[in-house]
Amino acid sequence: MVQATFLTGVERTFAEHEIIVSKTDLKGRITYGNEVFFRMAGYTERQAIGQPHSMIRHPEMPRCVFKLLWDTIQGGHEIFAYVVNRSANGDHYWVLAHVTPSRDGSGNLVGYHSNRRVPNRTVLTSTIIPLYNQLLQEENRHSNAKDGMNASHAMLVNLLKDKGMRYDELIFALGT
């Protein structure tokens, strides 16, 4: 599937009572999405199922936050994170994501489940967007993408260490 790589600068929103739901397998391929997910992402179910969840990754989302997210859920833990996604037509939408590992009857990880709610606009504007801009600037300062991600990840880890918090604790301290 060809991914949209352009951005419109238009922000999509969804209602406070709506929840975006998607599930993936262990490799991050989409196995389920609800109607709100497909509407916000701008893909049909047929277009999205089996595709990597990264198909909705916005280029202004710091890679280090995804590293933190993946490290956490692959370790069998849940995480809450603010995420900006890109719709198929280049629009974007912010969410407060709650991502959890899914397990089979024996306790083995079999995939991941994400519920996303309308984010707190004040937290986004006052803290998350400036933080993500700093992390993204650090990532872009390096010619090697991996070096950039590692540098911004170190910035984020040091910030959390200074505050004595995990990432999701920081998110809840900001207000959700």
Side-chain angles (χ1 to χ4, degrees):
M1 169 174 285
V2 176
Q3 282 188 284
T5 55
F6 56 92
L7 302 173
T8 64
V10 175
E11 182 172 358
R12 290 183 175 198
T13 59
F14 55 106
E16 292 278 341
H17 70 275
E18 293 184 304
I19 297 175
I20 298 172
V21 179
S22 63
K23 296 179 182 179
T24 70
D25 63 14
L26 292 173
K27 294 188 181 259
R29 290 181 297 248
I30 299 167
T31 59
Y32 171 81
N34 70 353
E35 180 275 332
V36 185
F37 172 79
F38 295 119
R39 176 169 37 94
M40 295 302 292
Y43 292 99
T44 66
E45 182 175 3
R46 185 180 190 131
Q47 290 171 316
I49 297 295
Q51 297 300 316
H53 207 278
S54 60
M55 71 190 291
I56 61 169
R57 183 183 183 277
H58 193 285
E60 294 175 4
M61 184 68 199
R63 295 177 64 218
C64 70
V65 175
F66 283 118
K67 175 178 175 25
L68 182 69
L69 188 150
W70 277 102
D71 288 350
T72 302
I73 61 176
Q74 287 176 331
H77 306 284
E78 67 181 355
I79 189 168
F80 290 84
Y82 282 93
V83 177
V84 61
N85 291 312
R86 182 184 61 204
S87 302
N89 74 345
D91 291 352
H92 67 278
Y93 56 100
W94 281 95
V95 298
L96 175 60
H98 176 211
V99 186
T100 60
S102 299
R103 299 179 186 279
D104 65 14
S106 300
N108 301 309
L109 286 179
V110 295
Y112 304 103
H113 182 127
S114 178
N115 292 325
R116 282 150 279 169
R117 292 178 166 72
V118 172
N120 179 321
R121 179 56 59 182
T122 302
V123 171
L124 272 182
T125 304
S126 66
T127 306
I128 298 299
I129 292 173
L131 172 64
Y132 284 10
N133 284 340
Q134 286 179 330
L135 295 170
L136 199 58
Q137 285 175 0
E138 181 62 23
E139 289 180 6
N140 292 334
R141 202 171 61 77
H142 299 264
S143 58
N144 178 296
K146 186 174 181 179
D147 291 344
M149 183 184 66
N150 288 335
S152 66
H153 186 262
M155 279 179 67
L156 183 58
V157 168
N158 286 334
L159 172 85
L160 296 172
K161 186 176 177 182
D162 289 346
K163 293 185 177 294
M165 298 178 168
R166 295 186 326 256
Y167 181 80
D168 55 347
E169 290 174 324
L170 172 67
I171 296 304
F172 281 109
L174 295 170
T176 53

